[in-house]
Amino acid sequence: EAFWLNAWHLLTQMVVVGAISLMQSRNRQLAEAGRQIREGQQRFLDTFEHAASGITHVDAKGRLLKANQTFCAMVGYSKAELERMSFQDITHPDDVGPDLAMLGETLDGLRSSYTLAKRYRHKDGHNVWAQLTVALMRKPDGEPDYFISVVQDLSAQKAAEEALRTSENLLQQAQKLSRLSSWHADLVTGAFRPLSGSHSLLGLDERNYSAQDVLRMAHPDDQPRVEAAWRAAVQQRQPYHVDHRIVVNGVERWVTAQALFEYDDH
């Protein structure tokens, strides 16, 4: 009896020790899983907060549920301020309609996402151009839950486009005042393209012209000289500066033609 009691006691102790060891192993696994979950959550938060683009969560009525720091800096409002606002409050009035229309189509199931360029109203009053990409998140039962919006700041791009338009307008005005006709010649394809309305100064259509088209504009008696000068400029890098006559729509006139060449590494 003493033997069996001791054996039973030993067996019981072994079961208890095994259970404790198993529980400790499970606890270590749970602790590791918890650590990995926390690290994953922190990485997600870091990605959300410090992404190069603005990111917001918006409910079905347009109320801002969450915004990252990039978006806050883009529109000039704090997170606390944005959480009391809707996207309509910070959108240019002319751009609210198109945004709401696409949002409605998404809620109706006609699309799962949409992209558009729009203007936000910064807190200090100026407009911020942005490209907005919106996707609808749904609940497990398929009902709409919230929208994720990714906002890319286009201010620099819009400023560059405006500067380019201004430059083009100034160039076109300068050419009209000075009676200059500027062209771009692609030496690979042989295409000649008039720039900034230059075709109208010569009475030509706005299209690409071939090298032969341009040569035929020269007076027949001047064509050999023009062709030789162009060939020398292209092949021997000699300056292209030729006075010659052109004939367009039966009208003959004298012109001075000059060209500047851009060279690649070869």
Side-chain angles (χ1 to χ4, degrees):
E1 290 179 358
F3 171 79
W4 289 112
L5 285 173
N6 288 331
W8 177 255
H9 180 67
L10 178 61
L11 179 62
T12 303
Q13 286 182 326
M14 292 176 63
V15 170
V16 171
V17 171
I20 292 173
S21 177
L22 179 62
M23 290 178 62
Q24 289 176 337
S25 176
R26 292 287 179 85
N27 287 337
R28 285 194 295 270
Q29 292 176 355
L30 288 173
E32 177 63 19
R35 184 187 65 80
Q36 293 179 357
I37 291 173
R38 288 191 297 273
E39 287 183 354
Q41 289 175 335
Q42 187 59 49
R43 283 195 294 269
F44 168 77
L45 290 175
D46 291 342
T47 301
F48 179 84
E49 286 295 338
H50 303 292
S53 300
I55 303 175
T56 64
H57 292 175
V58 181
D59 69 12
K61 295 183 179 180
R63 188 169 60 90
L64 290 159
L65 305 174
K66 193 177 185 66
N68 71 349
Q69 191 57 45
T70 305
F71 184 79
C72 292
M74 192 181 302
V75 296
Y77 291 95
S78 68
K79 292 184 179 183
E81 289 174 320
L82 289 174
E83 289 173 359
R84 298 191 296 268
M85 305 170 73
S86 67
F87 80 82
Q88 296 95 317
D89 296 329
I90 55 174
T91 298
H92 190 283
D94 295 342
D95 296 339
V96 172
D99 202 346
L100 284 175
M102 289 189 175
L103 186 143
E105 291 177 1
T106 305
L107 288 172
D108 292 339
L110 301 178
R111 59 172 76 232
S112 59
S113 63
Y114 65 90
T115 299
L116 80 160
K118 61 177 285 186
R119 290 162 291 181
Y120 285 97
R121 295 292 293 169
H122 193 276
K123 186 177 181 179
D124 65 13
H126 74 269
N127 293 326
V128 178
W129 272 102
Q131 178 170 289
L132 173 68
T133 301
V134 179
L136 175 61
M137 300 293 103
R138 294 185 179 274
K139 299 176 183 178
D141 61 3
E143 288 296 311
D145 192 359
Y146 64 96
F147 293 94
I148 296 179
S149 302
V150 178
V151 186
Q152 183 67 43
D153 192 343
L154 299 180
S155 299
Q157 177 182 329
K158 290 294 182 180
E161 291 174 356
E162 182 61 29
L164 179 60
R165 281 193 295 269
T166 301
S167 177
E168 286 285 339
N169 290 334
L170 291 174
L171 176 61
Q172 189 169 0
Q173 293 171 12
Q175 289 186 152
K176 287 181 179 180
L177 291 172
S178 59
R179 303 295 294 171
L180 290 175
S181 178
S182 300
W183 293 66
H184 174 268
D186 188 328
L187 300 186
V188 177
T189 64
F192 282 69
R193 177 169 55 89
L195 301 176
S196 302
S198 292
H199 60 283
S200 61
L201 293 175
L202 300 178
L204 299 171
D205 296 328
E206 185 177 12
R207 63 178 178 85
N208 284 348
Y209 292 81
S210 68
Q212 288 301 315
D213 291 333
V214 175
L215 182 60
R216 281 193 291 268
M217 294 180 198
H219 191 282
D221 295 341
D222 297 341
Q223 287 182 10
R225 183 163 54 86
V226 170
E227 186 174 16
W230 182 261
R231 191 180 305 277
V234 173
Q235 297 179 355
Q236 303 173 23
R237 296 198 177 190
Q238 296 183 8
Y240 183 78
H241 188 162
V242 183
D243 294 339
H244 65 90
R245 292 164 292 178
I246 62 171
V247 181
V248 177
N249 298 327
V251 178
E252 179 182 316
R253 71 184 79 176
W254 277 93
V255 298
T256 294
Q258 300 181 67
L260 296 175
F261 294 88
E262 293 183 359
Y263 297 93
D264 60 21
D265 293 337
H266 304 290

